[in-house]
Amino acid sequence: ADRGQLTTWVVVLLALAVGRFAFGAAYRYSLFELAWSVETDLRALLYEHLTTLSFSYYDRTQSGQVISRANSDIRSIQVLLAFGPLVAMSCITFVVAFGFTALAVWERLANMMGQTLTFLNQYPPSRLLDVAALALLFVIALQLREMKGMSTGPRG
């Protein structure tokens, strides 16, 4: 009976590993596909803009330097779009795991010191996480509002 139960758990773990691999591969593929698509669109927009510039601009500016800067900037955006979400997800996972660990340690320390959990019931850590999430959303909203204001400004 123990051997059959062990086999069942091994199969379940292998199925979970295969599923995680498949979802991770699909997630990464879609991220890289999106980054490549954005990079292609940016290059097309840049080409459109560069072809509208006057010849006197190219007399004053070295065209190789313009192309080099454009390629560098577009490559930076592509790397940000490709790897930024992966790093963000890793950071979020770390923060959530750290929060759960801190909660478990906090409750265990409260029990070890002989205190009742009334303090935790009055001020549960989940409420603190809710307040932190709302504060983060507020900051993100402010940043997006500033970015929107910058994008609707005059073009030069």
Side-chain angles (χ1 to χ4, degrees):
D2 289 337
R3 190 174 197 107
Q5 196 174 23
L6 178 64
T7 304
T8 303
W9 283 111
V10 168
V11 169
V12 167
L13 283 175
L14 286 175
L16 287 172
V18 168
R20 186 181 189 291
F21 172 77
F23 283 120
Y27 176 71
R28 283 193 170 107
Y29 178 79
S30 63
L31 278 179
F32 286 115
E33 183 70 25
L34 173 70
W36 181 81
S37 175
V38 169
E39 179 182 1
T40 302
D41 292 345
L42 284 174
R43 287 187 190 280
L45 287 170
L46 182 65
Y47 177 77
E48 250 181 63
H49 177 71
L50 290 177
T51 56
T52 61
L53 295 174
S54 66
F55 288 117
S56 62
Y57 173 79
Y58 289 108
D59 289 339
R60 294 187 313 265
T61 309
Q62 296 177 355
S63 59
Q65 196 167 26
V66 171
I67 299 296
S68 174
R69 287 183 181 176
N71 278 335
S72 175
D73 291 347
I74 289 173
R75 180 63 57 194
S76 297
I77 291 170
Q78 191 261 349
V79 167
L80 174 70
L81 289 174
F83 294 106
L86 294 174
V87 171
M89 288 302 292
S90 294
C91 290
I92 290 169
T93 302
F94 171 77
V95 168
V96 168
F98 185 80
F100 281 127
T101 304
L103 177 62
V105 168
W106 187 0
E107 289 178 357
R108 195 169 283 213
L109 284 175
N111 287 333
M112 284 174 40
M113 292 191 299
Q115 297 176 354
T116 62
L117 293 177
T118 56
F119 176 76
L120 290 176
N121 290 333
Q122 289 174 350
Y123 303 102
S126 63
R127 289 188 187 157
L128 297 176
L129 291 174
D130 292 343
V131 171
L134 285 174
L136 179 65
L137 286 173
F138 178 74
V139 169
I140 290 171
L142 288 178
Q143 292 297 322
L144 290 173
R145 181 176 278 185
E146 286 180 20
M147 287 174 55
K148 183 179 179 187
M150 289 172 31
S151 66
T152 58
R155 293 187 175 187

